[in-house]
Amino acid sequence: MKAAVVVFPGSNCDRDLAVAFRAAGAEVEMVWHKDTELPGGIDIVGVPGGFSFGDYLRCGAIAANSPICKAVKAHADKGGYVFGVCNGFQVLTETGILPGALLRNAGLKYICKTVGLRVETSQSAFTEGYNAGDVVDIPIAHHDGNYFADDATLDALESEDRVAFRYTDNPNGSQRDIAGILSENRKVLGMMPHPERAADAGHGGTDGQALFRAVVGQLTSA
């Protein structure tokens, strides 16, 4: 199973994401933002956290217009798997791969701490390693993590079982406590918290391991 991790100027979680994928059994290639194509044989694309292009203009907006994002969108449009974390989630909304937008935190401050997440669905390759209702401890580190969408979009996410994670104690004002969402075909996940930072016991926790093991296992057996 082969993963690509995109690297933008300002990415600072790209290697963490690669390490988590490798620990789960994936082969990983790092892909520069100026590349126009993904490497051959890619099963999943990881869009990492950080501050792509310094978060100038709007978080993820410049990255979303980079050459590689056209290839990432084409991969998603063809039914390929994509995983966006934090700034990567912002990039996925800016490209239109996922609905909604990430606004400034309600408290107008950067937040860096571990939070409780409730797993809302186990019906995806990303979340099948958990049970719906499980609560896991995952770090957050963001200034613009306040998920916003119109009521019709929110209702659709709810009715289609596409809310992957919710905060147990909302840190940023996200509507309906949403921390992560799935695409209509359930093959794209965007989330603000960082499971790659909770995938190694030596770094404080392992609650994120199940996500990487699940998706790598699913794609390896496909």
Side-chain angles (χ1 to χ4, degrees):
M1 180 269 181
K2 194 171 181 181
V5 174
V6 179
V7 183
F8 301 103
S11 295
N12 64 12
C13 299
D14 46 345
R15 286 167 179 78
D16 303 72
L17 192 55
V19 166
F21 272 126
R22 288 190 181 109
E27 177 185 343
V28 181
E29 287 198 39
M30 310 302 280
V31 181
W32 186 233
H33 72 109
K34 287 187 177 180
D35 292 347
T36 57
E37 296 181 356
L38 294 169
I42 291 297
D43 297 294
I44 187 169
V45 179
V47 188
F51 304 89
S52 60
F53 295 92
D55 282 346
Y56 290 111
L57 181 62
R58 188 172 63 249
C59 295
I62 299 176
N65 288 280
S66 64
I68 195 59
C69 277
K70 294 179 180 177
V72 174
K73 189 171 190 310
H75 175 78
D77 288 345
K78 291 187 294 185
Y81 284 81
V82 181
F83 180 38
V85 182
C86 197
N87 189 235
F89 187 12
Q90 294 162 344
V91 171
L92 295 184
T93 61
E94 290 289 342
T95 58
I97 294 173
L98 289 174
L102 283 306
L103 308 181
R104 187 68 48 87
N105 292 342
L108 303 182
K109 292 183 179 179
Y110 177 83
I111 307 170
C112 183
K113 63 180 183 179
T114 297
V115 301
L117 295 185
R118 186 171 64 251
V119 180
E120 291 297 296
T121 180
S122 61
Q123 301 302 305
S124 79
F126 301 97
T127 59
E128 66 179 13
Y130 304 103
N131 295 312
D134 284 352
V135 174
V136 294
D137 294 325
I138 304 291
I140 59 170
H142 58 247
H143 197 271
D144 297 70
N146 183 349
Y147 182 74
F148 176 86
D150 60 34
D151 286 340
T153 298
L154 293 169
D155 290 344
L157 291 172
E158 301 274 14
S159 66
E160 296 167 10
D161 191 36
R162 291 167 52 201
V163 177
F165 300 99
R166 289 188 212 271
Y167 300 108
T168 58
D169 184 11
N170 193 329
N172 52 33
S174 288
Q175 291 183 304
R176 305 190 191 184
D177 302 327
I178 290 173
I181 62 170
L182 294 159
S183 60
E184 289 184 12
N185 66 2
R186 312 184 79 76
K187 292 184 176 181
V188 180
L189 171 65
M191 59 188 295
M192 285 308 298
H194 289 268
E196 79 283 9
R197 295 185 181 181
D200 188 319
H203 291 160
T206 58
D207 282 2
Q209 280 183 353
L211 186 152
F212 293 97
R213 289 175 177 171
V215 73
V216 170
Q218 177 74 247
L219 293 178
T220 300
S221 62

